Amino acid sequence: MNKRHYDSGETRRIIAEKAGKLFAQKGFAATSIADISRESGFSKGHIYYHFDNKEKLFVALAKDTMRTWEEKWSAVEPNYQTATEKLYAVARFAMNNYKTPLLHVGQELAGSPNTDPETLRQLRELAETPMGVYGAILRQGIEEGEFGIDDLPGATFLFGTWVGSLCPLIFSMESEALERLFRQGVGIFLGGIRRN
């Protein structure tokens, strides 16, 4: 008798893929483990074995999204040589890669009073990916003499929060106008850090 081979990694991938689609369609609260089980074809036990609970499943999906964001940036970064070019490019990149199917789900989860504090901590930690990219660009600018920055963590935080505050405008502003606003913002930021 032939036993079917169980591929744990493939099972996890399928569950995550189906859950991501359901979360994007229905939201976090309206998606149940039973829905994910039905859609993925795996039992609730399989889902709990791989992810413990629905929040951990969403955090895993969010981490995958940020990993993809970083991989995409790493693929295009070599097209820009100077730190100045990279700041303009990463701002445009952040704007163009902000809208993801799971964005509203993360906001729903972060805004719920029932969300586990550990889940909230892990969601906040996701910001470390883009902040690390921004900090590396600013560090390159310092090392190559482009930028005069005394407080690298502070400058990184300011740049990241500025980009982060503009990104949600993709839902309410025409893209060309928003891109001009991003370019203007980078120009103003550079005016404060460029070495004379």
Side-chain angles (χ1 to χ4, degrees):
M1 171 165 74
N2 258 344
K3 284 190 175 179
R4 192 173 75 168
H5 175 70
Y6 177 73
D7 186 334
S8 183
E10 181 66 3
T11 299
R12 184 180 172 89
R13 186 195 66 74
I14 292 168
I15 292 168
E17 178 187 311
K18 299 300 183 181
K21 288 179 182 175
L22 287 168
F23 286 146
Q25 291 167 359
K26 299 172 67 171
F28 184 81
T31 301
S32 69
I33 293 293
D35 294 333
I36 297 167
S37 173
R38 196 170 28 260
E39 193 68 26
S40 68
F42 290 99
S43 70
K44 291 180 187 179
H46 278 99
I47 296 167
Y48 287 121
Y49 172 78
H50 287 285
F51 296 102
D52 289 342
N53 62 47
K54 193 168 69 162
E55 285 186 12
K56 288 186 179 181
L57 172 51
F58 179 78
V59 168
L61 289 168
K63 286 180 177 180
D64 285 346
T65 299
M66 288 312 300
R67 205 170 8 263
T68 300
W69 188 97
E70 188 171 31
E71 288 168 0
K72 285 181 179 178
W73 170 251
S74 295
V76 299
E77 183 183 20
N79 297 326
Y80 309 98
Q81 301 308 308
T82 68
T84 297
E85 291 173 342
K86 288 180 183 181
L87 276 187
Y88 280 110
V90 80
R92 188 172 53 254
F93 176 85
M95 180 188 81
N96 291 329
N97 287 277
Y98 181 76
K99 193 174 187 179
T100 68
L102 296 178
L103 177 65
H104 71 281
V105 183
Q107 292 167 337
E108 174 192 349
L109 194 54
S112 171
N114 300 321
T115 301
D116 185 300
E118 176 60 18
T119 298
L120 293 173
R121 186 190 66 73
Q122 290 183 353
L123 290 175
R124 282 192 298 272
E125 280 181 358
L126 294 174
E128 291 176 9
T129 298
M131 291 301 231
V133 167
Y134 306 149
I137 294 169
L138 294 175
R139 187 177 308 105
Q140 175 190 339
I142 294 168
E143 291 171 356
E144 295 181 358
E146 282 182 76
F147 305 152
I149 298 172
D150 295 325
D151 177 9
L152 179 59
T156 301
F157 178 77
L158 289 172
F159 186 80
T161 54
W162 164 77
V163 169
S165 67
L166 282 181
C167 280
L169 294 175
I170 65 168
F171 300 110
S172 61
M173 189 179 253
E174 186 249 300
S175 62
E176 285 181 29
L178 184 56
E179 188 158 347
R180 281 193 302 274
L181 196 58
F182 268 84
R183 284 195 61 76
Q184 181 182 7
V186 174
I188 291 168
F189 186 84
L190 285 168
I193 64 169
R194 243 191 216 121
R195 194 176 290 286
N196 293 328

